[in-house]
Amino acid sequence: MKYVVADIHGCYEEFKELMQKINISKKDHLYILGDTLDRGPEPMKVLLNLMNRHNMTYIIGNHDYLFLYFISKLELNLSKTEGMSEEDISDFQSYLEDGGLSSIEAFMKLSEEEKQTVCDFLKEGNVYGDVMIGDKRYVLVHAGISGFREDKALDEYDFLDFICERTDYSRRYYRDGSTYVITGHTPTMYINADSSPNVYIGNGHIAIDCGCVYGGKLAAYCIEDGSIVYIEAKNGGNV
């Protein structure tokens, strides 16, 4: 089976429980729609767990990109800021305040080899997924598709087009009713009419960031049969 999970944000205990609950095996495939890092208590534990999985496709999110950007600027050394502009330093401070501190602190505890491996893994991440199941097509992105045009091929977009702009869930992107866009990034509490932390399905969209780090849920959506498995956030969330 093929499962999609998004926006784990360092919620390691919930992620472990979710993997146990879906009983994921080597025969299954796991798609991660980015933002494993930041905000939650154990982002590196989640990322290292994913890096050890052979049946996994990682799609980059905006928090992953910002983490990699600043770590690259600092050359894996947080004491090195002389090569950064005042704007970069200000942006780095904003990133830390927006949840990046948990990732940076955990990263600095890794060995030099582990640090490099983490950076290499993120650099090799995908910017989108395009999955066919029977006659149905699933486009997998972290946030949305900026400047979307139905006649524009996915590989013609810039990678930033997939990781920053929020999806407009009020309109269908693809007129073909057998094509769906699966996204994270926007917590479904802000999409669902009843503000519930449940997967949103409508207008050809499947939104699966159920806001675990904010006290909602961590969800795994099964592409083949549309089933959903939830894990409730522990301790009311982590931020």
Side-chain angles (χ1 to χ4, degrees):
M1 304 297 276
K2 293 178 173 61
Y3 296 94
V4 191
V5 179
D7 296 79
I8 302 168
H9 278 305
C11 297
Y12 182 60
E13 293 303 318
E14 291 90 339
F15 173 69
K16 283 199 306 180
E17 188 174 338
L18 183 63
M19 293 299 98
Q20 292 170 357
K21 193 168 182 179
I22 65 176
N23 193 27
I24 195 162
S25 71
K26 293 180 179 179
K27 296 180 180 179
D28 301 316
H29 196 89
L30 183 64
Y31 292 90
I32 302 294
L33 301 190
D35 281 10
T36 287
L37 298 175
D38 300 350
R39 295 194 171 133
E42 299 180 295
M44 284 299 149
K45 279 191 176 182
V46 180
L47 190 59
L48 291 172
N49 181 297
L50 292 171
M51 289 167 58
N52 287 323
R53 294 179 181 271
H54 299 290
N55 55 339
M56 189 275 302
T57 297
Y58 198 89
I59 295 171
I60 294 294
N62 58 304
H63 279 264
D64 308 316
Y65 168 72
L66 287 172
F67 169 83
L68 186 59
Y69 175 83
F70 288 117
I71 287 298
S72 298
K73 280 278 184 179
L74 294 165
E75 297 180 356
L76 311 187
N77 182 358
L78 285 187
S79 65
K80 181 185 182 301
T81 58
E82 63 269 18
M84 296 176 68
S85 66
E86 289 186 10
E87 183 179 5
D88 274 335
I89 292 173
S90 176
D91 288 344
F92 182 52
Q93 183 62 41
S94 296
Y95 164 70
L96 295 178
E97 293 172 357
D98 191 32
L101 185 59
S102 64
S103 296
I104 296 296
E105 287 182 338
F107 181 77
M108 297 312 294
K109 294 176 182 178
L110 301 177
S111 69
E112 293 304 310
E113 182 179 357
E114 287 174 321
K115 290 177 184 176
Q116 190 60 60
T117 302
V118 164
C119 290
D120 290 343
F121 172 79
L122 291 174
K123 288 177 182 177
E124 294 170 2
N126 296 273
V127 293
Y128 65 84
D130 198 350
V131 182
M132 291 296 300
I133 303 292
D135 62 350
K136 294 181 178 179
R137 179 190 182 195
Y138 297 88
V139 176
L140 281 56
V141 296
H142 170 66
I145 308 175
S146 181
F148 175 79
R149 293 201 330 263
E150 193 166 6
D151 62 347
K152 187 174 181 178
L154 292 173
D155 60 7
E156 294 178 4
Y157 291 90
D158 183 83
F159 79 97
L160 289 174
D161 292 332
F162 299 110
I163 69 172
C164 296
E165 184 171 309
R166 297 190 187 279
T167 293
D168 181 357
Y169 295 101
S170 69
R171 70 181 182 94
R172 177 180 289 276
Y173 280 21
Y174 292 93
R175 286 170 293 177
D176 178 5
S178 62
T179 298
Y180 301 84
V181 181
I182 305 182
T183 52
H185 191 60
T186 301
T188 56
M189 298 92 85
Y190 301 114
I191 306 172
N192 288 317
D194 61 358
S195 300
S196 63
N198 297 319
V199 168
Y200 168 83
I201 301 175
N203 296 323
H205 297 288
I206 303 171
I208 64 170
D209 174 9
C210 296
C212 182
V213 77
Y214 299 112
K217 303 173 184 176
L218 191 62
Y221 180 83
C222 181
I223 299 177
E224 280 94 340
D225 61 13
S227 62
I228 306 167
V229 175
Y230 294 107
I231 297 296
E232 299 277 349
K234 301 185 183 302
N235 304 316
N238 297 284
V239 294

